[in-house]
Amino acid sequence: MSYLDRNFGRPPEPDHLHLPTRATQVTWPVIPRQAINMTLRRPVGPTPVPAQAGALAALLDDLPLSSAMEEGAPTSTAGYLELLAEVLEDGVLTDDEAASLAGLANTYALTREQVDAAHRGFLLALSHKAIEDGKVTRDERQELLAAAQALGFTDGIVKAVLDEARSALAEQRGKGCLPLPNSWPHGEPLRIGQGVAFTGCDELLRARLEGRAQAAGLRVTGSVSRKTVVLVTDGVDPYTTKAQAARELKTRIVTPDVFAELVHYIQPAKTEATTHAPAKTVPSPTAPTAATATGSALPAPGPTIRAWARAQGLPVGVRGRLATEIVNAYVAAHGLDMDVTEGSPLPAPR
């Protein structure tokens, strides 16, 4: 019965449809192998090995480059700093990258003093980012040292910019401190920058208090030393190493509840200038200053004066208004014909 035949009326299947099945039954010939001689080419020059992206790269992610610009610096410095942040993201400054930076500085007509000021401002901005959480990790310090070395600075610059950043942060935090209540019962208050340690306590409570302490500007240390002002403990185990050290050093010991009050009413840091130096007389607003003696113009661009002051070993910040004493010293050293006011004595330039 032809109507029951599935292939009735259909053309035969093409032969190529059966080829894959036949191919599986074919025995492939053995191809003889020959030895190959390989010759390695030597690189023309040493290949730079980029560092692992570490703390420096993390800091650069959201670093506001405007914070690295010195007051009075040319606007073109921003473009130079953007390239600097890009080439230092891997922690290595290669010869090609250095040449690119030098070429850009030449294109923008940046002077040597302006470039040095940009480099130092860059390190200072990184330092500000590093200390925001209240401590500088070993990795962050190593990355800062590597960046300083790549920019031609000595290792001492890292400590200088970190100290400057800490002082600026402490001053900023100090402006938001609450006044002590009239009935303050806890004696000497804590101050920004002081060191505190913890022992015992519930883990969650301890983590929360440590976070509040760092956010307030306190240094949380892993041991008790003579620089530790407070040990926080619940007193459950009075024989821990930290508790014994605190008793030997007569370090103040407080409970978590008292510490929470101390942090809430933390006070500005005490500085040597405020505790030992005599109060300075505020000049009259109408009195002429070195910056206004010649019609509100400085005797030289701000970056030039700062670079000169640093070369002489005089204290000067990387940004902000130049102190009258610094301007006076620059005018006197360069024999400029300007009417300047009397300033505080400075150490003799080296």
Side-chain angles (χ1 to χ4, degrees):
M1 301 175 63
S2 60
Y3 62 87
L4 294 178
D5 187 358
R6 297 179 57 185
N7 296 322
F8 179 76
R10 295 183 181 179
E13 293 184 353
D15 187 65
H16 72 272
L17 296 178
H18 303 284
L19 291 179
T21 302
R22 296 176 185 174
T24 59
Q25 301 173 358
V26 175
T27 302
W28 295 93
V30 178
I31 300 176
R33 297 183 178 181
Q34 297 179 354
I36 299 176
N37 295 325
M38 298 180 61
T39 303
L40 298 178
R41 292 183 179 181
R42 294 184 178 181
V44 176
T47 303
V49 180
Q52 295 291 331
L56 178 61
L59 295 176
L60 291 175
D61 284 343
D62 58 349
L63 176 66
L65 294 178
S66 59
S67 65
M69 289 185 61
E70 188 179 55
E71 181 182 3
T75 56
S76 56
T77 305
Y80 179 86
L81 286 170
E82 288 178 359
L83 180 59
L84 181 63
E86 180 180 343
V87 301
L88 281 182
E89 187 172 4
D90 61 359
V92 174
L93 183 64
T94 66
D95 290 341
D96 290 341
E97 291 169 342
S100 298
L101 285 170
L104 187 61
N106 184 58
T107 300
Y108 288 154
L110 298 177
T111 65
R112 177 74 258 180
E113 290 80 6
Q114 290 169 341
V115 171
D116 287 342
H119 289 174
R120 191 178 189 280
F122 180 79
L123 286 177
L124 181 59
L126 285 180
S127 300
H128 276 279
K129 289 290 296 180
I131 66 172
E132 280 183 348
D133 59 356
K135 61 180 179 180
V136 180
T137 65
R138 180 179 301 177
D139 289 341
E140 288 173 339
R141 187 179 296 275
Q142 289 300 322
E143 294 288 349
L144 284 170
L145 287 171
Q149 184 177 11
L151 295 176
F153 290 109
T154 61
D155 292 348
I157 190 68
V158 172
K159 182 181 184 304
V161 295
L162 283 175
D163 289 344
E164 188 172 343
R166 288 192 184 96
S167 298
L169 183 60
E171 181 179 357
Q172 179 183 0
R173 286 171 169 166
K175 296 177 181 178
C177 292
L178 299 174
L180 292 178
N182 294 330
S183 57
W184 177 249
H186 302 305
E188 181 66 21
L190 291 178
R191 296 187 176 274
I192 294 174
Q194 291 180 329
V196 297
F198 291 79
T199 186
C201 304
D202 176 75
E203 291 185 5
L204 293 179
L205 175 62
R206 175 171 173 172
R208 185 165 62 249
L209 290 178
E210 287 182 352
R212 290 182 57 186
Q214 292 177 347
L218 294 170
R219 294 182 299 103
V220 178
T221 61
S223 60
V224 175
S225 68
R226 297 187 183 278
K227 294 183 179 181
T228 306
V229 296
V230 162
L231 174 67
V232 184
T233 179
D234 55 8
V236 173
D237 185 359
Y239 298 104
T240 65
T241 302
K242 294 179 184 178
Q244 291 178 348
R247 288 192 294 270
E248 293 175 0
L249 298 174
K250 297 182 180 180
T251 302
R252 185 179 178 186
I253 300 177
V254 300
T255 64
D257 291 339
V258 172
F259 182 73
E261 284 287 307
L262 290 171
V263 173
H264 184 69
Y265 288 102
I266 192 171
Q267 297 298 294
K270 284 185 177 180
T271 62
E272 185 176 353
T274 58
T275 54
H276 300 290
K280 294 184 178 179
T281 303
V282 179
S284 171
T286 58
T289 64
T292 60
T294 58
S296 74
L298 292 171
T304 300
I305 298 178
R306 294 179 196 276
W308 172 85
R310 285 193 289 269
Q312 311 308 312
L314 301 179
V316 61
V318 73
R319 64 170 63 86
R321 185 176 181 180
L322 280 166
T324 302
E325 295 83 358
I326 297 295
V327 180
N328 288 344
Y330 182 89
V331 169
H334 291 78
L336 301 178
D337 186 12
M338 293 182 61
D339 294 329
V340 296
T341 58
E342 293 294 333
S344 301
L346 287 172
R350 295 179 298 186

